[in-house]
C-alpha cells in the first residue's frame, strides 16, 4: 500500500531469479460471490433439513438480525470511504499491514454476506408458499429483509476491497498500452 520501499529494504533479500515476487491475490470476482451464495444456500438447506428430520420447529429470525447486519454494512461502507480517501491522497502514507487487514476484512465481509444471502433465500423459499399462516409469513418477511441487508453487507465488503486499490502513479508502467 505504500508508494515506495521502506528505507531499510536491501536488495540482498530478493529472489535469486531477479524477477519481482508474484502473488496470487486478486480482486473478488462475481463468480466467487455466486459460489459463496450457493455454499450458503447449501448450508441453509442442510440446517433446515436438520430441523425437519429432528421434527423441531424452525426458529423465527429476530428483527434485530437485519438491523445488526445493516449497522455492520453501514460501518463497512463508511470505513471504505475514509480508507479510499487515505489511499488516493499522495501526501498520506498507508501502512502495508493496514492495507492488508482492510483488504482481508473487505473480502471476508463480501463473501460472508453473499453466503448469508444464499442461506436467507433458502429460508424464505421454504415458507413463501404459506403466506396465509402467521408464523411462516413472519419467517418470510424477516428472512427477505435479512437477505436484502446481507446483500447490502456483501456490497459494502466488495466496496471496501476495491477501496484498497492503489491508483497508478505517473511513474508506474502501463501494462496494457492503448492501441
Amino acid at each position: 500500500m505504500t508508494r515506495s520501499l521502506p528505507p531499510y529494504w536491501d536488495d540482498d533479500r530478493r529472489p535469486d531469479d531477479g524477477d519481482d515476487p508474484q502473488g496470487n491475490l486478486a480482486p473478488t470476482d462475481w463468480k466467487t460471490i455466486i459460489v459463496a451464495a450457493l455454499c450458503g444456500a447449501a448450508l441453509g438447506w442442510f440446517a433446515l433439513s436438520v430441523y425437519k428430520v429432528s421434527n423441531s420447529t424452525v426458529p423465527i429470525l429476530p428483527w434485530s438480525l437485519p438491523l445488526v447486519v445493516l449497522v455492520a454494512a453501514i460501518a463497512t461502507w463508511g470505513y471504505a470511504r475514509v480508507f479510499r480517501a487515505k489511499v488516493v491522497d499522495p501526501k498520506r502514507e498507508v501502512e502495508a499491514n493496514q492495507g492488508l487487514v482492510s483488504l482481508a476484512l473487505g473480502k471476508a465481509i463480501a463473501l460472508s454476506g453473499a453466503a448469508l444471502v444464499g442461506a436467507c433465500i433458502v429460508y424464505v423459499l421454504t415458507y413463501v408458499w404459506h403466506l396465509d399462516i402467521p408464523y411462516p409469513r413472519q419467517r418470510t418477511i424477516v428472512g427477505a429483509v435479512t437477505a436484502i441487508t446481507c446483500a447490502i453487507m456483501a456490497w459494502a465488503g466488495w466496496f471496501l476491497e476495491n477501496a484498497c486499490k492503489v491508483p497508478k502513479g505517473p511513474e508506474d508502467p502501463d501494462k496494457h498500452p492503448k492501441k
Side-chain angles (χ1 to χ4, degrees):
M1 296 304 297
T2 59
R3 291 174 177 78
S4 62
L5 293 174
Y8 54 83
W9 180 267
D10 56 353
D11 286 334
D12 296 337
R13 296 189 310 191
R14 294 190 130 215
D16 293 336
D17 57 6
D19 291 337
D20 288 334
Q22 299 294 319
N24 59 359
L25 185 64
T28 304
D29 59 347
W30 287 106
K31 292 179 211 171
T32 308
I33 297 286
I34 290 171
V35 168
L38 290 174
C39 289
L43 189 61
W45 175 80
F46 177 73
L48 289 174
S49 298
V50 169
Y51 280 105
K52 187 172 187 176
V53 167
S54 66
N55 204 15
S56 300
T57 304
V58 177
I60 299 173
L61 296 176
W63 278 106
S64 60
L65 180 62
L67 184 66
V68 168
V69 170
L70 186 63
V71 167
I74 291 170
T76 303
W77 177 77
Y79 177 70
R81 289 193 43 123
V82 169
F83 189 71
R84 183 67 186 161
K86 188 175 181 181
V87 168
V88 171
D89 189 4
K91 296 177 183 119
R92 297 172 75 181
E93 185 173 315
V94 178
E95 293 186 22
N97 61 352
Q98 184 184 11
L100 288 174
V101 167
S102 298
L103 179 67
L105 180 66
K107 204 175 260 291
I109 289 174
L111 294 177
S112 61
L116 287 171
V117 167
C120 287
I121 287 174
V122 168
Y123 183 80
V124 167
L125 288 178
T126 303
Y127 297 104
V128 75
W129 314 113
H130 307 288
L131 290 178
D132 52 337
I133 306 170
Y135 285 138
R137 180 175 48 240
Q138 186 175 0
R139 286 185 179 102
T140 303
I141 292 169
V142 176
V145 171
T146 304
I148 291 168
T149 57
C150 289
I152 293 170
M153 185 176 81
W155 174 81
W158 179 78
F159 188 70
L160 175 59
E161 183 182 355
N162 285 328
C164 296
K165 292 180 183 176
V166 176
K168 285 190 173 195
E171 68 276 353
D172 291 336
D174 191 14
K175 294 192 179 206
H176 303 289
K178 294 180 183 176
K179 295 180 182 179

